[in-house]
Amino acid sequence: MLDIHAHCFMVGKCIEEIRDMIVVESGLNYETNEIVLEESKQENVYFSAGLHPTEVVKLSELEIEKTIKQIKNLCENSKCIGVGEIGLDYYWHKDKKEIDKQKHYFRKLLELAESIKKPVIIHSRDAELDCLEIMESYNIKAVMHSFMPKKDWKIALNKALDLGYYISIPAIIVKNKRLKKIARDTPLEKMFTETDSPFLDPEGNRNNRPYKVKYAIEEIAKIKGLDFEEVESQIDKNFNELLNLN
Ligand SMILES: [Zn+2]
């Protein structure tokens, strides 16, 4: 099984409990990028080095520049799958100044990913179409993490798929009708599975863990009329494809 997007570092013991699966731990800022690098010393753990849009709003220009340099360096590590999470967040940020700052640094981070030929892992909460509109000018591979647009989901999904991006389906799909439609309309070859642990717990206990990605795989299998193993193995293939290991 693959959980392509988790933040185990937020919860004690989460990372040590990972067995028989691959997890990509996702950094949010300078400090957590260092933590996920450390976690990736564990065999089945990869990481992505990022700067969350909410952090972009909070930090000074100097702190942001320092983090962008760090991300560039971390991307040279063989366990680093790419730049993320990065993106735009209009759920927590509605102020124009804050949004403009997010967009400015989102472009810088996309430029970086393009220049070092690394994939990006995208946070696009309530900002899916704006994210995609910015991203389309870059020659990049992208994973749209926990992709569940509230507005115009079909338009946003088609645009992401037209651009060749991957759609990552979180385990909370078991409780979300919109995600079920998104999974139905996304080819398995363009799909990933994730938990966003410790957030988005499908069991509703605020206690999400990477092993719960099995719920996403089960649900996708049900929707597509396939076996669990067929979905699991295609998603593993997609991961190799993303990392250019095929
Ligand atoms: Zn996340």
Side-chain angles (χ1 to χ4, degrees):
M1 297 195 299
L2 171 70
D3 181 354
I4 203 167
H5 188 87
H7 311 281
C8 257
F9 54 83
M10 289 182 174
V11 191
K13 292 227 167 73
C14 171
I15 202 82
E16 292 103 78
E17 284 167 9
I18 292 165
R19 302 268 178 276
D20 304 325
M21 64 178 296
I22 299 279
V23 176
V24 180
E25 279 283 276
S26 193
L28 305 167
N29 54 23
Y30 194 95
E31 292 72 31
T32 57
N33 287 337
E34 292 295 325
I35 296 172
V36 294
L37 166 70
E38 190 59 32
E39 287 178 326
S40 75
K41 289 178 181 161
Q42 199 172 307
E43 202 199 339
N44 47 359
V45 178
Y46 289 75
F47 74 99
S48 62
L51 185 56
H52 193 282
T54 292
E55 297 292 317
V56 169
V57 169
K58 278 194 295 195
L59 296 171
S60 72
E61 278 175 39
L62 215 67
E63 289 167 319
I64 294 174
E65 293 299 341
K66 181 179 147 194
T67 309
I68 295 178
K69 272 198 196 115
Q70 175 212 33
I71 293 171
K72 187 175 181 203
N73 288 332
L74 288 176
C75 278
E76 286 173 20
N77 187 293
S78 63
K79 297 296 278 297
C80 182
I81 73 152
V83 178
E85 60 187 286
I86 58 170
L88 302 175
D89 189 309
Y90 296 172
Y91 180 81
W92 293 109
H93 307 280
K94 294 181 169 66
D95 176 75
K96 185 173 182 308
K97 257 195 177 153
E98 293 183 348
I99 289 175
D100 285 347
K101 191 177 177 194
Q102 288 185 27
K103 284 185 178 169
H104 174 76
Y105 287 106
F106 184 36
R107 289 195 183 95
K108 293 230 168 217
L109 287 155
L110 292 170
E111 248 167 58
L112 168 68
E114 185 180 48
S115 71
I116 59 177
K117 298 188 168 63
K118 280 280 191 179
V120 290
I121 294 86
I122 302 295
H123 172 104
S124 56
R125 192 168 186 190
D126 290 354
E128 294 83 5
L129 282 171
D130 277 12
C131 275
L132 293 167
E133 215 164 88
I134 291 176
M135 290 163 71
E136 71 183 327
S137 345
Y138 300 86
N139 183 15
I140 43 168
K141 282 190 186 180
V143 178
M144 306 303 291
H145 120 75
S146 283
F147 190 72
M148 43 178 149
K150 282 192 200 112
K151 269 196 307 196
D152 300 330
W153 69 267
K154 186 73 183 170
I155 296 171
L157 176 65
N158 286 343
K159 178 149 185 154
L161 291 172
D162 284 347
L163 289 165
Y165 301 157
Y166 292 91
I167 305 298
S168 182
I169 305 288
I172 196 133
I173 184 176
V174 293
K175 293 177 145 183
N176 186 306
K177 280 192 190 139
R178 208 174 346 127
L179 272 170
K180 289 180 195 192
K181 288 183 199 157
I182 288 172
R184 180 197 64 197
D185 292 353
T186 302
L188 194 54
E189 295 70 29
K190 281 291 168 189
M191 205 181 263
F192 281 117
T193 47
E194 66 166 80
T195 60
D196 204 16
S197 297
F199 309 111
L200 307 182
D201 187 357
E203 291 170 342
N205 300 321
R206 295 190 181 198
N207 185 32
N208 208 358
R209 293 289 182 279
Y211 76 85
K212 295 188 189 181
V213 85
K214 69 179 180 201
Y215 294 121
I217 300 174
E218 268 168 20
E219 191 66 34
I220 293 163
K222 204 163 89 187
I223 290 167
K224 303 260 182 216
L226 300 168
D227 296 335
F228 186 96
E229 289 72 24
E230 287 174 289
V231 173
E232 192 184 21
S233 89
Q234 183 60 50
I235 284 172
D236 290 346
K237 271 190 210 155
N238 298 348
F239 192 55
N240 288 337
E241 178 104 22
L242 183 76
L243 304 184
N244 276 330
L245 299 176
N246 284 350

